[in-house]
């Protein structure tokens, strides 16, 4: 089968004398490329078919080399039309230089991402070669599944407080005169608490978006980390937690810490809340100076939050900072620790999880000494 618009070169011995797997003159072994690479010459015969292309298409290079492009790579669009006949790379408009990436189907219905480049010796000249890039869709599917799961989780978490807010406000508007002042106060307090919950969920969603896009900003100011931890402990005590459940130990002197105070509060709030809600016994917070692992650099500040509960199973340690991880107990969005990791790494710090000396969970984050900055983009490693 010849490619539409191509010269009808014979499928004889000479047509199959093509470079096998090295793409002559490229200087790069195509088998080392992460994406599938297929190259066809001016006659539409395949001259290069790398290992990734073989893996994606399940076609051996020896079977593809020397074949027509349409026969070696029988692609169809989502409507069942044969792709090479439809696009006619060797004919058609002479101003075309490429085909943008799109989803196409291999025999058997497997989807693959395909883009193509038309190589001409001169503008408007005949096509000398067609370079095709193939990519598996699995990575994109994982991203789409993650986004869909995020939307479903947030929608589920928003439904409950919004239903409560709507129910109480509608009841108050319809039957205001029938309720006592105490009943009205209780309803309004519930509405206020649910509105705060919605606000927190929206803030989490915005944080996720900024972390994933690499645009999480850090506005550095002097931060008294010991005082910040004390404020969180006092808030829990005021809310009814016993004061002796918390143990704060600060090792002096601490280095000067420049960080975003709001975001550090967010990190502390999440870690201490996890220890209070999911741990048992005393919640211990240690604030210590930490030598930098890099020779010649100043010391940083480490904060360790530990409890005396059952801890985190060993097999779950590597998933703690991923999206939607909730451990053995349900509740919440499972996004808090993912955001915590993003914030710490945006400051140039590190965070780890392990087992405390008393058996509970132990989270430790370290922030380096740094100067104030206008903004800091989150490293791509957290995305």
């Amino acid at each position: 089968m010849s490619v539409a618009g191509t010269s009808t070169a014979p499928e004889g011995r000479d047509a199959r004398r093509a470079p096998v797997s090295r793409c002559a003159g490229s200087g790069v072994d195509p088998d080392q490329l992460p994406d599938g690479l297929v190259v066809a010459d001016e006659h539409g015969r395949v001259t290069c078919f790398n290992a990734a292309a073989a893996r994606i298409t399940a076609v051996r290079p020896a079977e593809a080399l020397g074949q027509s492009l349409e026969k070696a790579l029988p692609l169809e669009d989502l409507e069942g039309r044969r792709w090479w006949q439809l696009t006619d790379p060797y004919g058609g408009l002479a101003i075309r230089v490429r085909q943008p990436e799109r989803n196409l189907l291999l025999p058997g219905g497997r989807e693959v991402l395909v883009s193509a480049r038309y190589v001409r010796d001169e503008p408007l000249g005949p096509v000398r070669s067609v370079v095709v890039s193939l990519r598996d869709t699995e990575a994109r599917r994982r991203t789409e599944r993650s986004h869909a799961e995020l939307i479903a989780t947030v929608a589920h978490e928003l439904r409950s407080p919004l239903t409560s807010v709507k129910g109480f406000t509608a009841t108050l508007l319809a039957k205001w005169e029938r309720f006592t002042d105490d009943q009205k106060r209780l309803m309004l307090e519930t509405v206020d608490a649910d509105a705060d919950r919605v606000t927190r969920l929206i803030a989490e969603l915005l944080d996720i978006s900024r972390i994933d896009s690499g645009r999480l900003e850090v506005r550095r100011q002097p931060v008294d980390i010991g005082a910040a931890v004390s404020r969180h402990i006092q808030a829990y005590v005021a809310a009814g937690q016993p004061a002796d459940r918390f143990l704060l130990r600060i090792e002096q002197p601490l280095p000067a810490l420049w960080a975003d105070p709001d975001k550090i509060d967010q990190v502390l709030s999440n870690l201490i809340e996890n220890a209070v809600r999911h741990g048992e016994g005393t919640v211990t917070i240690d604030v210590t100076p930490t030598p930098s692992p890099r020779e010649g650099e100043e010391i940083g500040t480490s904060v360790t939050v530990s409890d005396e509960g059952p801890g985190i199973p060993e097999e779950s340690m590597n998933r703690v900072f991923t999206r939607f991880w909730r451990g053995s107990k349900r509740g919440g969005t499972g996004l808090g620790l993912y955001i915590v990791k993003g914030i710490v790494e945006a400051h140039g710090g590190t965070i780890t999880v392990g087992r405390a000396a008393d058996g509970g969970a132990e989270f430790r984050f370290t922030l380096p000494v740094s100067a104030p900055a206008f903004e800091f983009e989150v490293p791509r490693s957290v995305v």
Side-chain angles (χ1 to χ4, degrees):
M1 181 184 298
S2 61
V3 179
T6 66
S7 302
T8 56
E11 294 195 21
R13 181 178 55 191
D14 292 340
R16 296 178 186 272
R17 287 178 181 173
V20 286
S21 62
R22 298 288 176 177
C23 293
S26 68
V28 176
D29 181 354
D31 289 341
Q32 296 176 354
L33 298 176
D35 294 336
L37 175 66
V38 180
V39 181
D41 62 14
E42 67 269 23
H43 303 296
R45 304 291 174 180
V46 174
T47 61
C48 179
F49 200 89
N50 74 345
R55 172 179 54 81
I56 292 170
T57 63
V59 175
R60 293 186 301 172
E63 297 174 354
L65 293 166
Q67 296 286 348
S68 67
L69 185 57
E70 184 176 2
K71 185 174 181 180
L73 202 59
L75 297 167
E76 294 182 352
D77 67 11
L78 301 182
E79 297 177 3
R81 297 174 295 183
R82 294 189 176 184
W83 184 243
W84 299 118
Q85 291 183 359
L86 181 67
T87 57
D88 189 13
Y90 292 89
L93 294 174
I95 60 173
R96 296 185 306 168
V97 295
R98 69 186 183 94
Q99 282 289 342
E101 186 177 76
R102 65 191 64 205
N103 275 23
L104 297 177
L105 300 177
L106 291 167
R110 181 181 179 187
E111 289 190 21
V112 62
L113 298 171
V114 181
S115 58
R117 187 80 177 180
Y118 305 150
V119 180
R120 307 174 190 271
D121 289 339
E122 57 185 24
L124 307 183
V127 174
R128 306 304 298 175
S129 64
V130 175
V131 180
V132 183
S133 173
L134 305 174
R135 290 199 298 145
D136 201 315
T137 60
E138 185 57 34
R140 178 172 291 185
R141 287 181 182 278
R142 285 197 298 268
T143 300
E144 290 173 351
R145 284 197 298 268
S146 178
H147 288 166
E149 188 174 357
L150 175 61
I151 292 170
T153 299
V154 172
H156 175 76
E157 293 292 331
L158 284 172
R159 186 181 296 115
S160 176
L162 288 177
T163 300
S164 171
V165 168
K166 177 63 177 175
F168 278 122
T169 53
T171 301
L172 286 170
L173 288 172
K175 303 176 180 179
W176 179 267
E177 302 297 336
R178 300 185 185 181
F179 296 108
T180 65
D181 288 345
D182 288 341
Q183 290 173 325
K184 293 174 183 176
R185 176 179 293 278
L186 177 61
M187 291 184 185
L188 290 174
E189 286 176 347
T190 304
V191 168
D192 184 63
D194 285 335
D196 286 342
R197 183 178 169 189
V198 171
T199 300
R200 286 195 302 271
L201 287 169
I202 293 173
E204 283 187 347
L205 191 61
L206 290 173
D207 285 336
I208 291 288
S209 174
R210 294 184 184 113
I211 289 171
D212 287 349
S213 64
R215 298 299 302 174
L216 184 64
E217 295 183 356
V218 172
R219 302 189 180 277
R220 301 180 187 272
Q221 301 175 29
V223 173
D224 185 339
I225 192 72
V229 174
S230 295
R231 286 196 303 273
H232 284 279
I233 293 175
Q234 290 167 8
Y236 275 104
V237 173
Q241 289 287 336
D244 59 2
R245 190 179 180 189
F246 299 93
L247 174 60
L248 172 59
R249 300 184 296 205
I250 302 176
E251 183 180 333
Q252 299 287 359
L254 291 173
L257 176 62
W258 289 82
D260 187 314
D262 292 336
K263 289 182 170 55
I264 296 303
D265 269 342
Q266 192 174 350
V267 170
L268 293 172
S269 174
N270 194 291
L271 296 181
I272 297 174
E273 180 182 2
N274 278 349
V276 171
R277 289 179 58 189
H278 304 296
E280 298 173 2
T282 302
V283 176
T284 303
I285 303 101
D286 290 295
V287 183
T288 60
T290 303
S292 170
R294 299 177 182 176
E295 186 176 353
E297 292 189 4
E298 296 183 76
I299 59 177
T301 301
S302 287
V303 179
T304 304
V305 180
S306 59
D307 61 74
E308 298 174 346
I312 299 170
E314 192 69 31
E315 62 271 16
S316 299
M317 290 288 188
N318 61 342
R319 296 187 290 110
V320 167
F321 296 109
T322 59
R323 289 184 183 185
F324 312 120
W325 185 85
R326 299 182 179 90
S328 59
K329 297 182 180 180
R330 304 295 294 176
T333 60
L335 299 173
L337 291 175
Y338 179 84
I339 295 171
V340 163
K341 184 175 185 289
I343 291 174
V344 170
E345 292 188 350
H347 283 80
T350 58
I351 184 167
T352 59
V353 61
R355 186 169 294 278
D358 295 324
E362 179 180 281
F363 289 88
R364 176 184 174 90
F365 69 92
T366 301
L367 301 175
V369 171
S370 57
F374 293 106
E375 68 178 59
F376 189 94
E377 290 190 12
V378 61
R380 291 289 177 181
S381 61
V382 308
V383 177

